[in-house]
Amino acid sequence: LETHDIIFKDKKEYVILTKTDMVDNAKLKAQSASWRTKFTKKKIKTIAISVIDDKSLEQVKKILNAIAKEKRI
């Protein structure tokens, strides 16, 4: 992002993998582990979510609330 505009240099980045309920758990774990490894090297946090799984949605809610809180300051 910083190649687009320098203001993005210090922004946190997230990749949210959606519709994880559509993939079997073994495949999801293998794929998400691969993605996490790639994105972690770039300091990008990955989260796998499903609207069926309330716990996964809570993770996104926490991130969005933290972003909103930062913007209020």
Side-chain angles (χ1 to χ4, degrees), residues 25-64:
N25 283 339
K27 187 173 182 177
L28 175 63
K29 285 183 181 183
Q31 287 290 332
S32 63
S34 171
W35 291 325
R36 280 193 176 107
T37 301
K38 290 176 187 176
F39 287 120
T40 299
K41 290 178 184 176
K42 296 180 180 183
K43 297 182 181 178
I44 299 172
K45 185 172 180 170
T46 60
I47 301 166
I49 67 167
S50 166
V51 296
I52 297 172
D53 181 14
D54 289 336
K55 286 183 182 180
S56 67
L57 294 178
E58 281 298 317
Q59 291 177 326
V60 175
K61 185 178 177 181
K62 286 179 185 178
I63 291 169
L64 294 175

